[in-house]
Amino acid sequence: MNKAQLIQAVAKTTGKRAEAADAVEAVLDAMVRAVAAGDVVSVTGFGSLTPEVRPARTARNPQTGEPVEIAERRVVKFRPGARFQDLVAGRRAMPESGNCIQKDPKTPRP
């Protein structure tokens, strides 16, 4: 699914493509800005985006075997939520309708 398809899917719920496009753009922009600033973005049921720093290291050129210095760099790690993983792995059935990452309703105690 690309961004245009995501907007299309959100538009089915909101009813207006322009509103869906604005919503998707706003959410993605907020997430990127937060992670770039060093914050962790955690969406319950979906997952977490975490900025990490990979330290500088020495690697080897596979063709020549000579050492190559690799500079320190920042990367983004994604860790999917447990419910998301269960849905993808087939350990949990995909609901026919509604929000698939929303928590199950609480069952009353006997």
Side-chain angles (χ1 to χ4, degrees), residues 5-90:
Q5 292 167 330
L6 178 60
I7 290 170
Q8 188 85 23
V10 173
K12 288 180 184 176
T13 303
T14 63
K16 295 186 180 179
R17 190 180 187 321
E19 288 179 8
D22 289 343
V24 168
E25 291 286 343
V27 168
L28 294 177
D29 182 64
M31 292 171 71
V32 169
R33 288 178 187 275
V35 174
D39 297 333
V40 174
V41 174
S42 181
V43 179
T44 303
F46 180 71
S48 299
L49 293 165
T50 309
E52 286 192 5
V53 176
R54 287 195 181 158
R57 64 186 174 95
T58 302
R60 298 222 174 263
N61 181 330
Q63 290 182 336
T64 64
E66 295 203 18
V68 177
E69 293 300 317
I70 298 177
E72 176 181 279
R73 63 187 186 146
R74 292 178 63 191
V75 296
V76 178
K77 297 269 184 145
F78 175 71
R79 184 167 183 244
R83 187 169 178 96
F84 185 14
Q85 284 182 323
D86 289 345
L87 288 166
V88 172

